[in-house]
Amino acid sequence: KETLMAHPGASVGDLLESTLGINNQSTNRGASAPIIRGHIGPGNLIVFDGVRFNTGTFRTGPNQYLNLFDPYSLDSIEILRGAGGVLYGSDTIGGVFHLRPLSLRYNRGFNLIGLNRYQTADNSETSAFSVSYSNSQWSLEGGPSLSWFNTLRAGEGGLAPASDYSQYSGHL
């Protein structure tokens, strides 16, 4: 978890850009389609906490749905390349992205974890935190993740039009 929260990526796609053997097709900010072993789209399966995310209704082109997941609510991302993903089905010829959510902390009482990140290229800001409470019988954890991305500045003071957006998510 510390590795994911410390990474400068604003999305799951950004986190994967530095992973060996993973390429990323980004046609706009906030969207990226991962490429494993030359396969893009339906040849790559997304699994969240053991549940298939891909369905037969997904388009056959690049699959940009990986960025729907909040990187600050993930504990880890396991990547299975090639034939290793066959145990998830026959449509995993490229590989599998297995996203694992944050684990509950069973420390008694209240716990708070927070993150604030600022980037100068677009004056963007991300704030994420998680609050948990546990007693001897039950535990509860949740929190929001809020990001504001302003217009991206290009070289020599130019601006990239329509590159600003906001992203809000949460976990419980």
Side-chain angles (χ1 to χ4, degrees), residues 4-170:
L4 288 181
M5 290 192 87
H7 194 282
S11 67
V12 174
D14 291 342
L15 289 171
L16 296 173
E17 281 185 353
S18 61
T19 304
L20 187 63
I22 305 292
N23 292 319
N24 222 5
Q25 175 188 330
S26 292
T27 54
N28 60 46
R29 295 181 71 201
S32 63
I35 303 168
I36 305 177
R37 299 171 51 108
H39 293 274
I40 190 167
N44 299 324
L45 176 65
I46 300 170
V47 176
F48 180 76
D49 199 19
V51 178
R52 284 178 73 92
F53 185 70
N54 295 44
T55 68
T57 61
F58 278 21
R59 65 191 187 115
T60 57
N63 181 347
Q64 298 181 347
Y65 300 111
L66 195 59
N67 276 359
L68 292 176
F69 295 93
D70 177 17
Y72 304 107
S73 66
L74 298 177
D75 193 35
S76 64
I77 302 172
E78 179 184 6
I79 301 169
L80 299 172
R81 293 173 177 87
V86 168
L87 57 107
Y88 289 98
S90 62
D91 58 346
T92 60
I93 193 75
V96 177
F97 296 99
H98 195 158
L99 310 172
R100 300 186 191 282
L102 287 172
S103 301
L104 277 175
R105 292 172 226 2
Y106 293 103
N107 303 336
R108 290 196 176 194
F110 283 98
N111 292 293
L112 175 67
I113 296 175
L115 164 100
N116 195 13
R117 191 190 65 176
Y118 177 78
Q119 289 180 289
T120 59
D122 61 353
N123 293 322
S124 67
E125 184 175 355
T126 297
S127 296
F129 67 90
S130 184
V131 177
S132 65
Y133 175 77
S134 296
N135 63 26
S136 61
Q137 297 177 343
W138 56 271
S139 293
L140 181 66
E141 181 171 356
S145 177
L146 313 165
S147 297
W148 298 271
F149 301 93
N150 294 310
T151 303
L152 186 63
R153 290 191 317 241
E156 299 182 13
L159 297 175
S163 61
D164 56 323
Y165 69 100
S166 299
Q167 178 181 336
Y168 312 104
S169 61

